[in-house]
Amino acid sequence: MKKLLLICFTLLTVITAKAQFPMMGGGNAAPKVTGRISATIIDSLTKQPVEYATVSVINTKTNKAVNGGLTDAKGKVTIANIAPGTYKLVVGFIGYTSKTVLATTTPEKPDNNLGDVYLAGSASTLSEVTIEGKKNVIENKIDRMVYNAEADATNAGGDATDVMRKVPMLSVDINGNVQLRGSAVRVLINGKPSGTMANSVGDALKMIPADQIKNVEVITNPSAKYEAEGSGGIINIITKKSNAEGVSGSVNAAAGTRSNTGAFNLTAKTGRFSANTAFGGMYAFPQESKVVFYNKLPGSEVLQDGTSEWSREMYNGSLGLDYDFNAYNNISTNAKYNRFYNGGPGTSLITTTAGGATVNGTNISTTDMTNNNLDWNLDYRRTSKKQGEEFSVSGQLTQGRNANDFTNDFTSSLIANNKYTASTNLGKNKEYTVQTDYVYPFSKSVIFEVGGKGIFRNIESEYGKGSGKIFDYNQNVAAAYSTIAFDLTKKIKFKGGLRSEYTAIKYNDALGNPVDNDYLNLFPSAVLSQTINGKTTIKLAYNKRVQRPSLAYLNPFYNESNPVNSFQGNPHLDPELSHNVELGYSTFIKGSMINASLFYRNTRNIIENIIKEDAANGITLTTFDNVGNTQSFGANFFASYNPTPKWTLMTNISVNTYDIRKAAGATEGMHEGTYLNYNYFLRSATSFKGGWNLELFGVATSPRYTYQSKSEPMYFYGGAVKKDIMKKQGTIGINVLNPISRDLHIETVSKAGATYQTQNIYYPIRSIGLNFSYKFGKLKFTEKKKIKNDDIKQEQQQGGGQMGGIGQGK
């Protein structure tokens, strides 16, 4: 009955939006078919594309402008909604002489691709104009900061974890899990969720080769249009795609001491139809990782000193189809499959002291974890002659299948203590989504948005040491939103909205008793921005967010892969709710950029991993709990400076407080009070004659505090040398990471009452690799509107420190 109500709720929103959109049945008749005029603007001297050139379309009969646009990073511009006729395209850019080109479209051929249009430098500035054709690594936009990963040579050969460590405002722990300003964050791929993220963000990021990433968007204050998930905000990873006439694509390959990757992207486009496909693979050599575990429990102590040699293997593939029926109607579909393996052997020496007696033993283990995920979506979009008006309907299917197998063979001097343990856990994740959005511009400065979404999730997990117990968890979410944006004055803009989300949860507990948990939340958001002198912007924003636990947090499977520290999820977790306020400032000064912000966040029911005594087995247990409420004050400062035209310096500093107040009945901890976390990043990029590029970077993080734990600081540094080859269509380079020290040593101390634990990880991080990339065709990235499910809290620490959990062969 509840699912039926959720479906009806979502469909009602669709019908309402449709009724407001005349062309979707009823109302005015559909307009005549219109077409598009496209061109690529090229510097006549350097033959490089001209970015941000202005293109105006003028009707030759009326001599009035009918439309216009700006060129992208590849010099390409496409202007839609052009009725059949004859037009003048006027192209202009600072330092160039304006150029006029004639273009004609007919009902039979509504589209006209003018090809390359060359701009010549003006007489006064021709000798000074130099077009590098190179995108800035960091771009600051009104609602987000964008890190252009493809413009950073140090990313070649790594994976998405390496990329995330260099994104402003983000911090990444030893397992690759991401936080934004010290809080949980929702990670999307191409603007939508992925089954690869359903279980563990850390593992999912290791499945994405860095060479496949175009850029990373950091959205700290999402509007009501976005899902309310993510206490800290949203991270959107955009992968490389293309949308150009003919055939275009890219090939990337890297070989090194840490991992080997390969990626291939291909797009074929003719007329109104395009198809794109991508394949990628990765293999990480087994490398020895070391973990030293010490547990102190009431009446006993355990010391575990062990090593593991885990390998990682991954491959993925995708196929997308896109068709424009005309200038107003578009349909697209995309399917992506990922498979990821992580595991290997391990050996550890275990010393147990209890009652004055000491027992020495050896544990030989094997661990095999496999994730298989399929994402498929179908999207329809309709626009109108009214610029900015748009209606879309989307559907998405996500399926995941995750297996976790392990064996432990423990032997000791006491025969009675010999113990063999083997277990298998199979988790299944299914998710069905329907979504609709409608955008209506009352004027150029007043824009109204409305939409609805229904999400239906089912999670199953076999648990209980082969007992056949099934954890069957159903979570259904119905959401509706509305936003409006308008100008208060010529320089002050406002955007506000309200999102409503109804969540229905149903599952059976360990005793088989049914559990129901339904709740309704309202999520307001508002942002005020003022522009000063055209180069400086001040922003004040507020929003409310939610963080729901995912499978990794909920799964009651009792994982004994580490014989001295077991791991188990908690299906009784409540979602986090947070209020966020931000004051932001950004400015451009003679080619340099400064972005600074202050923020405050208050979070109820914060979810963290905790330890406690597992008295039945005489070891510690790592699980999750709603440990209390937190408040955090913080600041972020980002600056980019060019000492010379070809040398860029970049820095980012993030600071936030951690202050928690224990919830009633929560397990004891050791960090009630105020603590300081920070993250520092520095980058230098220099271009030389002959297509040579040199890049260096360094990352430093402070100690990280949670309610029960403290992790010592981490430091990363590296560099890359890259050379353009094959007429700048290809590059070849060398990357290094932490060349002086093989291992990254991280110590974590946890305390819960009389239970005390230390974990020392020696993680193999040093690497050197050779990389190659080649692009063919004319590449232009286009992001279509997709479903964006961003309402699930992802795992922030994997496996509770289980043996081998850090030996993932990075």
Side-chain angles (χ1 to χ4, degrees):
M1 184 62 183
K2 291 178 182 176
K3 184 175 290 190
L4 179 61
L5 290 174
L6 290 169
I7 296 174
C8 293
F9 180 81
T10 303
L11 291 178
L12 179 61
T13 307
V14 176
I15 295 171
T16 303
K18 182 176 178 180
Q20 298 180 42
F21 199 65
M23 294 181 296
M24 298 306 296
N28 300 329
K32 296 180 180 179
V33 172
T34 59
R36 296 173 294 191
I37 296 177
S38 58
T40 302
I41 312 304
I42 303 295
D43 182 282
S44 62
L45 182 63
T46 66
K47 301 301 186 290
Q48 295 293 327
V50 180
E51 186 178 5
Y52 299 125
T54 302
V55 180
S56 300
V57 179
I58 300 174
N59 190 304
T60 56
K61 291 183 178 180
T62 64
N63 205 34
K64 293 183 178 180
V66 298
N67 210 335
L70 295 175
T71 58
D72 62 12
K74 301 298 181 182
K76 183 71 179 292
V77 63
T78 299
I79 303 172
N81 301 331
I82 302 298
T86 303
Y87 301 91
K88 294 186 297 184
L89 260 71
V90 180
V91 185
F93 191 65
I94 296 175
Y96 291 89
T97 301
S98 296
K99 186 167 187 176
T100 300
V101 181
L102 289 177
T104 301
T105 63
T106 64
E108 294 77 18
K109 295 185 64 177
D111 295 342
N112 189 345
N113 186 352
L114 299 176
D116 294 341
V117 176
Y118 291 92
L119 284 185
S122 61
S124 60
T125 61
L126 184 60
S127 61
E128 301 175 3
V129 174
T130 301
I131 301 297
E132 295 290 341
K134 188 175 182 180
K135 182 177 290 188
N136 294 328
V137 174
I138 301 294
E139 294 181 81
N140 184 36
K141 299 186 177 181
I142 188 170
D143 63 341
R144 68 197 64 193
M145 182 174 285
V146 181
Y147 170 76
N148 292 305
E150 65 176 353
D152 190 342
T154 63
N155 289 324
D159 57 38
T161 305
D162 303 302
V163 176
M164 291 295 187
R165 288 195 173 106
K166 290 178 280 183
V167 178
M169 294 185 284
L170 301 187
S171 59
V172 184
D173 67 17
I174 189 65
N175 291 313
N177 297 297
V178 184
Q179 286 191 333
L180 173 57
R181 293 173 170 175
S183 189
V185 67
R186 179 58 168 163
V187 181
L188 307 177
I189 299 177
N190 294 323
K192 60 184 185 298
S194 173
T196 61
M197 299 287 176
N199 189 43
S200 168
V201 170
D203 282 344
L205 293 178
K206 295 182 181 71
M207 298 171 63
I208 306 174
D211 292 330
Q212 287 188 354
I213 299 176
K214 180 181 179 65
N215 52 47
V216 179
E217 298 178 336
V218 181
I219 309 171
T220 57
N221 282 284
S223 71
K225 184 174 183 177
Y226 288 91
E227 294 290 339
E229 172 64 16
S231 299
I234 295 173
I235 299 172
N236 184 24
I237 301 174
I238 298 177
T239 57
K240 294 178 181 178
K241 296 180 181 178
S242 57
N243 185 25
E245 287 290 340
V247 177
S248 60
S250 63
V251 178
N252 299 275
T257 59
R258 188 171 57 150
S259 63
N260 303 275
T261 62
F264 173 75
N265 296 271
L266 179 68
T267 292
K269 188 175 191 304
T270 174
R272 301 181 185 273
F273 175 77
S274 67
N276 64 80
T277 185
F279 300 95
M282 180 272 297
Y283 175 74
F285 297 109
Q287 296 190 54
E288 183 179 274
S289 299
K290 182 177 181 180
V291 177
V292 180
F293 240 110
Y294 172 74
N295 289 335
K296 184 177 181 180
L297 301 166
S300 67
E301 297 181 27
V302 179
L303 176 64
Q304 179 191 39
D305 188 344
T307 60
S308 63
E309 292 190 10
W310 283 21
S311 62
R312 290 185 293 122
E313 302 172 12
M314 178 277 297
Y315 62 82
N316 59 42
S318 65
L319 175 64
L321 305 174
D322 190 284
Y323 183 71
D324 293 322
F325 293 100
N326 49 42
Y328 297 140
N329 295 274
N330 170 270
I331 188 170
S332 62
T333 185
N334 183 270
K336 183 174 183 178
Y337 176 77
N338 291 276
R339 188 181 188 278
F340 179 63
Y341 167 80
N342 192 21
T347 303
S348 60
L349 302 176
I350 300 176
T351 302
T352 305
T353 302
T358 299
V359 177
N360 295 316
T362 301
N363 186 73
I364 300 176
S365 64
T366 60
T367 301
D368 296 290
M369 295 187 295
T370 305
N371 299 328
N372 297 274
N373 297 280
L374 173 66
D375 299 315
W376 176 72
N377 61 270
L378 180 65
D379 306 275
Y380 169 76
R381 181 167 62 98
R382 182 178 178 88
T383 58
S384 73
K385 275 189 174 181
K386 189 175 182 65
Q387 187 175 0
E389 186 177 25
E390 182 176 295
F391 174 78
S392 62
V393 178
S394 303
Q396 180 169 296
L397 164 66
T398 294
Q399 290 188 329
R401 184 182 179 91
N402 309 314
N404 188 343
D405 304 335
F406 70 85
T407 64
N408 283 316
D409 190 1
F410 178 77
T411 59
S412 71
S413 54
L414 301 178
I415 298 177
N417 284 350
N418 288 2
K419 182 180 179 180
Y420 179 82
T421 306
S423 187
T424 297
N425 176 232
L426 179 62
K428 300 177 181 178
N429 179 64
K430 294 181 181 179
E431 188 172 291
Y432 305 92
T433 305
V434 59
Q435 172 180 330
T436 181
D437 300 282
Y438 175 62
V439 182
Y440 183 80
F442 289 101
S443 65
K444 290 183 178 180
S445 61
V446 181
I447 299 175
F448 175 74
E449 297 175 296
V450 66
K453 175 184 285 187
I455 309 172
F456 311 101
R457 296 188 177 98
N458 174 255
I459 297 172
E460 290 185 358
S461 175
E462 299 176 9
Y463 72 100
K465 300 181 180 180
S467 65
K469 292 183 179 181
I470 300 293
F471 175 61
D472 192 348
Y473 184 92
N474 292 282
Q475 180 192 89
N476 301 319
V477 180
Y481 76 89
S482 178
T483 72
I484 189 165
F486 55 87
D487 295 345
L488 292 173
T489 68
K490 290 183 178 180
K491 294 185 177 182
I492 300 178
K493 301 178 183 296
F494 171 82
K495 184 173 184 178
L498 180 66
R499 186 178 188 89
S500 173
E501 292 189 356
Y502 173 73
T503 305
I505 296 174
K506 184 176 182 179
Y507 66 94
N508 292 327
D509 63 18
L511 300 177
N513 301 315
V515 178
D516 292 286
N517 184 17
D518 298 1
Y519 51 88
L520 175 68
N521 293 115
L522 298 177
F523 300 98
S525 65
V527 59
L528 274 172
S529 66
Q530 180 176 5
T531 301
I532 304 173
N533 299 326
K535 296 182 179 180
T536 301
T537 302
I538 299 176
K539 179 176 66 175
L540 178 64
Y542 163 79
N543 60 46
K544 181 182 177 183
R545 310 286 293 166
V546 68
Q547 196 81 44
R548 299 183 183 93
S550 63
L551 174 60
Y553 285 81
L554 300 168
N555 192 353
F557 169 62
Y558 187 80
N559 190 329
E560 296 178 281
S561 58
N562 184 349
V564 304
N565 185 83
S566 55
F567 179 84
Q568 188 175 38
N570 178 6
H572 304 290
L573 293 171
D574 293 322
E576 298 177 359
L577 290 171
S578 64
H579 298 267
N580 304 274
V581 180
E582 178 184 356
L583 176 63
Y585 170 88
S586 62
T587 187
F588 294 86
I589 305 173
K590 295 182 179 180
S592 300
M593 183 178 77
I594 296 176
N595 178 279
S597 61
L598 300 174
F599 69 90
Y600 169 76
R601 179 174 57 249
N602 185 288
T603 305
R604 292 191 295 113
N605 301 323
I606 188 169
I607 302 172
E608 291 183 352
N609 64 307
I610 63 170
I611 64 167
K612 59 183 180 180
E613 181 185 5
D614 185 353
N617 296 291
I619 59 176
T620 55
L621 171 68
T622 296
T623 185
F624 300 95
D625 198 7
N626 297 106
V627 297
N629 303 328
T630 67
Q631 63 175 354
S632 178
F633 295 88
N636 187 84
F637 176 82
F638 170 82
S640 176
Y641 171 63
N642 292 84
T644 69
K646 294 188 177 183
W647 182 21
T648 301
L649 292 176
M650 186 184 304
T651 186
N652 186 82
I653 303 173
S654 297
V655 180
N656 70 275
T657 61
Y658 176 83
D659 187 348
I660 189 166
R661 295 296 178 261
K662 174 185 173 183
T667 306
E668 290 187 52
M670 65 176 182
H671 288 141
E672 286 192 85
T674 303
Y675 298 87
L676 187 67
N677 295 325
Y678 67 81
N679 187 70
Y680 179 72
F681 169 66
L682 179 65
R683 175 181 181 270
S684 171
T686 310
S687 298
F688 302 94
K689 291 183 179 180
W692 288 92
N693 294 272
L694 172 65
E695 301 194 19
L696 304 170
F697 78 93
V699 178
T701 65
S702 70
R704 294 286 154 177
Y705 295 91
T706 65
Y707 175 55
Q708 287 190 350
S709 303
K710 175 187 176 183
S711 295
E712 294 302 320
M714 294 186 291
Y715 307 94
F716 309 90
Y717 60 94
V721 177
K722 183 179 70 171
K723 175 70 168 66
D724 294 332
I725 58 176
M726 306 171 74
K727 297 182 180 180
K728 295 189 176 182
Q729 290 295 99
T731 63
I732 188 169
I734 298 177
N735 288 58
V736 295
L737 179 65
N738 281 37
I740 297 177
S741 176
R742 174 191 179 273
D743 294 328
L744 181 67
H745 176 206
I746 300 296
E747 181 181 26
T748 301
V749 177
S750 304
K751 185 178 181 181
T755 302
Y756 176 83
Q757 181 186 92
T758 65
Q759 179 182 201
N760 284 273
I761 299 175
Y762 299 85
Y763 184 74
I765 193 172
R766 180 172 60 197
S767 68
I768 181 170
L770 178 67
N771 54 80
F772 168 79
S773 65
Y774 175 71
K775 298 179 181 179
F776 54 91
K778 298 178 181 179
L779 301 176
K780 175 182 178 297
F781 178 77
T782 301
E783 183 185 2
K784 296 287 184 180
K785 286 206 166 186
K786 303 295 183 182
I787 278 180
K788 302 179 181 181
N789 289 356
D790 33 21
D791 63 316
I792 295 296
K793 181 177 178 75
Q794 304 297 331
E795 186 182 9
Q796 295 298 315
Q797 181 164 331
Q798 301 180 106
Q802 55 190 299
M803 184 59 196
I806 48 76
Q808 296 172 10
K810 263 188 63 67

